[in-house]
Each structure stands twice: as C-alpha cells, then as structure tokens.
Amino acid sequence: MGFSGVDALDDDRIARRLRTTPDELTPAEARSVAATLLADGAFSEPYCEWLPTWYELALIAPVRYGDWRLRRVAGAVAERASVTATAPRFSRPTDVRIDGAPALSRVSGFRERFLLADSLLHLEWFDHVAAADGIEVPDGLVARTREESLSYYGGERDRLSPEVRRFQRHLFADDGWVRRVDEAYGLDSALFGLWERLLRDERRRLGGD
C-alpha cells in the first residue's frame, strides 16, 4: 500500500534476534514484537464469536491457552527492553451494527461469517500493530475500510471502492502464514487447510477484477 514507515524495522533481523539473542532487541523492535504477540493472542476469542457456536465451543479452550502463552512471552520481551505494549480490543458481534441491522443478521454459513470476521478483525489487528511499528496509515483509510467492508461482507453494499479493495486484498494475505504454521508444527490440520483456502480464494478474488 506504500504506507510511510514500513521500512523502519527490519523484520528479518528481528526474527533472527528473537531466535538467537533476544536481549539485543532494540526498544522499537521489542515494542513491535510485544504488540504483535498481544494482538495475536487477543485476536482469536472475539473471532470465534463471529462464527457458528460449534466452532466457538470447539476452539475456546485452546484459544485462551494460546492467548495466555503469548501474553507471557510478550510481557517478557517488553520487560527486558523496558518498553510498554498493549493488546487491542477487537469488535464482537454485539458491538456492531451493519447498515442499521444486527451484525450477523444478513450472513449465514461458515464462509460468510469467516469473511465478515476477517474483513473487520484483521483490519483492527493491522491498525494496532501498524501504530506500534510507526507505520503511518493515511487519515480516514481505516475508518473508510471498516465502514465499506462491514456493509460489503455483511450488509447491502455490492462493491468496495478501489483503494479499500486493494487494502483488503493485502489484509486477506494470511493464507501463506496459515500454511507455514501448519507445516512448521506438522499439524496437517483440516481446519488450517480450510482457513488457508478461504483466505487464498478471497485474496485472489479481490485481486482479480
């Protein structure tokens, strides 16, 4: 998207230091790592609330355990570098109305709920992490993307504006991350495979028109 500040931190160097010499993280790097881990940990429980009840009940225990583990690591990273980091507050269906109606009133099925949740919560995740990384997102873009995406994925809007469509195409690019996690831990998970396919298909669709 060409945002200012995206090159301020060297992601490859941060990853190497985390693996080998975490004490050498600079304050800016530690703040980035801690904010990202906290956002990752806080993401999944509200996401579950956007999806069918069976999904939430099946995943709530491992999701909460994962959040606890990530918060512990984030706290250690932040304390070591004497920085502070916070977790974002992600939207839940009870917080949101879309085109004047309850958030989930116009969506049905797993795919529709999954895409609606991702279009909103990944945007909120990015906004939080970008701020911690010093990335300057243009004024109004997050608010405009939120408004258009909610109406498009869960309401009456029939298309996204070009800039919002491009932004969402980048936000839906987590299919590669899902695949790498599945492979790295040898999970061979059908659920991870479903996530990857839904994200990949939507990313490609958004880039295809």
Side-chain angles (χ1 to χ4, degrees):
M1 293 292 291
F3 297 147
S4 177
V6 294
D7 297 323
L9 297 174
D10 185 330
D11 293 341
D12 292 336
R13 184 178 64 189
I14 292 173
R16 288 195 302 271
R17 286 180 173 175
L18 276 174
R19 286 193 297 266
T20 58
T21 53
D23 289 343
E24 295 183 8
L25 288 170
T26 68
E29 290 170 343
R31 186 178 297 108
S32 171
V33 169
T36 301
L37 292 176
L38 289 170
D40 286 348
F43 181 87
S44 294
E45 184 167 342
Y47 202 109
C48 286
E49 293 188 18
W50 288 87
L51 297 171
T53 302
W54 62 263
Y55 180 97
E56 181 179 4
L57 293 176
L59 291 184
I60 194 64
V63 156
R64 287 177 175 170
Y65 176 70
D67 183 23
W68 176 75
R69 289 289 301 271
L70 289 171
R71 282 189 284 109
R72 286 190 65 190
V73 176
V77 169
E79 182 178 6
R80 191 179 294 122
S82 300
V83 299
T84 59
T86 61
R89 182 185 182 279
F90 290 105
S91 297
R92 300 172 187 256
T94 52
D95 303 328
V96 178
R97 295 185 71 83
I98 301 175
D99 296 339
L104 296 175
S105 63
R106 293 192 179 99
V107 292
S108 61
F110 185 88
R111 176 182 178 276
E112 288 77 13
R113 288 188 176 209
F114 182 93
L115 295 180
L116 172 60
D118 199 83
S119 72
L120 173 61
L121 301 192
H122 201 167
L123 173 68
E124 294 176 342
W125 180 95
F126 176 83
D127 189 36
H128 177 82
V129 172
D133 286 359
I135 296 173
E136 298 178 14
V137 182
D139 291 343
L141 178 59
V142 170
R144 190 166 71 254
T145 300
R146 177 188 176 94
E147 179 183 1
E148 288 189 23
S149 299
L150 284 173
S151 185
Y152 178 69
Y153 286 102
E156 300 175 347
R157 189 180 184 93
D158 63 355
R159 67 185 63 189
L160 299 171
S161 64
E163 187 177 30
V164 169
R165 186 183 185 92
R166 182 179 172 220
F167 194 13
Q168 279 293 4
R169 179 168 57 83
H170 288 294
L171 293 174
F172 272 103
D174 262 5
D175 57 296
W177 177 86
V178 170
R179 182 178 62 258
R180 289 191 297 272
V181 170
D182 192 46
E183 293 173 351
Y185 290 95
L187 301 176
D188 193 24
S189 167
L191 186 57
F192 271 55
L194 175 61
W195 295 344
E196 180 188 355
R197 185 169 65 254
L198 291 174
L199 292 166
R200 182 187 63 237
D201 290 350
E202 185 61 13
R203 173 176 56 81
R204 290 175 175 175
R205 191 187 66 80
L206 289 171
D209 292 348

